[in-house]
Amino acid sequence: MMKKITTENTLYRSWQRVEENRGCRGSDGVTIGKYNSCLHENLESLSHDLLSCKYYPFPLLRFSVPKPKGKGVRWLNVPTVRDRVAQTAVSLVTGPAFEDEFETVIHAYRQGRGVHTAVRAISALQEEGYAYAMDADIEGFFDNIPHDLLIEKVQLLFPDQPPLWKLFEKWIKAETWDGEHLDRFQKGIPQGSVVSPLLANLFLDSLDEFFIDLGFKLVRYADDFLVLSKTRAEAEDFMDITELLLEEMQLDLNPEKTKIVSFEGGFKFLGALFLNDGVYQPFPQKKSNRPFLQLPDPLTLKTYIELKHLDE
């Protein structure tokens, strides 16, 4: 599998995707344009490092972005261009294995799926007589995924692939740089990384399987999901069961966002309003210009080595 990841064709396709997505520089200060100026040498070096197991990711660039309407900020953790190419290459090669593992009830981060397929699935279940749902949200999902359980799931998915395990582990236990401090994720996965959507879906796959085995009607989009039922009492039972399942996974339901809803009373899910027999979705809004990003100063290799030496 590592040989497929490191071929010239795979790495060049990965670079094309990274270039198309644009994005800002990483913590090393290297922009898309700068990486492209020595593209052949950069991809050749990356291939060698990956294949020889000498690859090590640079810290993620950590910075805040204002939320709309002044609702605070959200934190992004962006890999370097080089690391985005590496993660994209791994995603291209391992993607089919992840897809084979995932259940049909998952609608986020999958080709050909999205909010539209989730909405259709909910409407179809309503037509079958499902009137209630547990509308669930996992408390700080991306920030609280336990590393040991996630790495174990990666190892089970890719048996006999230790070099691949080590790659994912390096990205899961990522370091961050905010312009002043070097830090490391103790739990959770960075939302700016290419492989994080795959890892998020993989971590919740056992939850999906458990619901399906019990005959529950589940529609999941990332960490937001509905478990539909024909009675309110059934929906309340689902909430108790879900809390127990998540406890085993070292996660919790968000009590403020998790509730029992009904089509008769109306509820919103993924931006769509479900009320009686109708589904009402807002008109797509034009994307506003990207906000100006005040990025932290780049982290030089010399500074990085000095900071690592202090940690030791």
Side-chain angles (χ1 to χ4, degrees):
M1 190 166 281
M2 289 302 297
K3 288 183 178 179
K4 291 181 180 178
I5 290 168
T6 55
T7 64
E8 182 180 354
N9 179 56
T10 300
L11 289 176
Y12 185 69
R13 285 169 57 207
S14 303
W15 156 251
Q16 288 181 310
R17 290 197 180 189
V18 170
E19 185 182 34
E20 287 170 4
N21 290 334
R22 298 185 294 166
C24 65
R25 63 166 175 83
S27 61
D28 60 355
V30 177
T31 63
I32 292 282
K34 188 173 180 180
Y35 193 87
N36 188 39
S37 66
C38 299
L39 183 61
H40 178 74
E41 293 83 355
N42 286 331
L43 295 184
E44 194 174 63
S45 173
L46 179 58
S47 176
H48 175 268
D49 288 348
L50 288 168
L51 200 55
S52 63
C53 297
K54 293 180 179 179
Y55 166 85
Y56 201 91
F58 222 60
L60 304 171
L61 183 69
R62 180 172 173 81
F63 59 95
S64 63
V65 177
K67 288 184 178 180
K69 301 178 182 178
K71 296 181 179 179
V73 300
R74 64 188 180 101
W75 289 92
L76 293 182
N77 297 281
V78 179
T80 63
V81 175
R82 168 180 173 268
D83 296 329
R84 297 206 293 271
V85 174
Q87 290 192 20
T88 303
V90 169
S91 298
L92 285 173
V93 174
T94 64
F98 280 96
E99 277 297 314
D100 289 344
E101 185 72 11
F102 297 157
E103 313 303 322
T104 57
V105 298
I106 309 174
H107 296 270
Y109 316 130
R110 303 179 72 183
Q111 188 171 5
R113 291 172 176 262
V115 171
H116 63 292
T117 57
V119 168
R120 284 205 300 265
I122 295 166
S123 297
L125 287 168
Q126 184 196 14
E127 291 175 3
E128 293 177 21
Y130 291 86
Y132 294 86
M134 175 191 68
D135 182 356
D137 178 87
I138 300 174
E139 182 78 48
F141 172 63
F142 279 89
D143 295 332
N144 288 301
I145 295 175
H147 288 171
D148 55 342
L149 295 183
L150 178 56
I151 292 168
E152 182 181 337
K153 288 177 181 291
V154 171
Q155 292 173 346
L156 290 172
L157 184 60
F158 300 103
D160 305 320
Q161 295 283 339
L164 193 59
W165 303 345
K166 291 177 182 177
L167 264 184
F168 277 109
E169 185 173 355
K170 288 172 182 176
W171 291 327
I172 291 168
K173 297 181 177 181
E175 293 178 309
T176 63
W177 170 254
D178 63 4
E180 296 181 5
H181 304 101
L182 193 64
D183 207 348
R184 182 182 294 277
F185 277 81
Q186 301 301 319
K187 60 179 179 177
I189 54 176
Q191 293 191 54
S193 292
V194 178
V195 296
S196 288
L198 290 174
L199 294 172
N201 274 339
L202 178 66
F203 189 77
L204 290 178
D205 183 65
S206 56
L207 185 71
D208 303 331
E209 291 175 348
F210 192 90
F211 281 141
I212 291 169
D213 289 344
L214 290 178
F216 294 178
K217 301 301 180 182
L218 170 70
V219 178
R220 180 167 71 79
Y221 191 95
D223 59 322
D224 297 317
F225 58 93
L226 291 180
V227 184
L228 291 99
S229 62
K230 294 187 177 181
T231 67
R232 184 178 184 87
E234 218 177 19
E236 290 171 348
D237 289 341
F238 292 165
M239 187 177 294
D240 293 336
I241 293 170
T242 303
E243 285 180 330
L244 291 173
L245 291 173
L246 289 177
E247 187 177 332
E248 291 293 319
M249 303 169 71
Q250 301 176 34
L251 295 172
D252 298 294
L253 282 175
N254 184 326
E256 295 182 0
K257 295 183 179 180
T258 300
K259 53 193 176 294
I260 305 301
V261 297
S262 69
F263 288 98
E264 183 179 6
F267 63 92
K268 282 187 176 182
F269 187 71
L270 303 179
L273 172 64
F274 296 86
L275 180 61
N276 295 318
D277 295 330
V279 182
Y280 307 93
Q281 292 179 278
F283 290 107
Q285 298 179 351
K286 290 183 179 180
K287 290 184 178 180
S288 58
N289 294 329
R290 296 188 177 189
F292 175 74
L293 301 179
Q294 187 65 44
L295 301 180
D297 292 334
L299 175 64
T300 66
L301 185 57
K302 181 177 180 294
T303 303
Y304 179 55
I305 293 172
E306 289 174 348
L307 288 170
K308 292 297 290 181
H309 179 68
L310 288 174
D311 288 342
E312 294 170 358

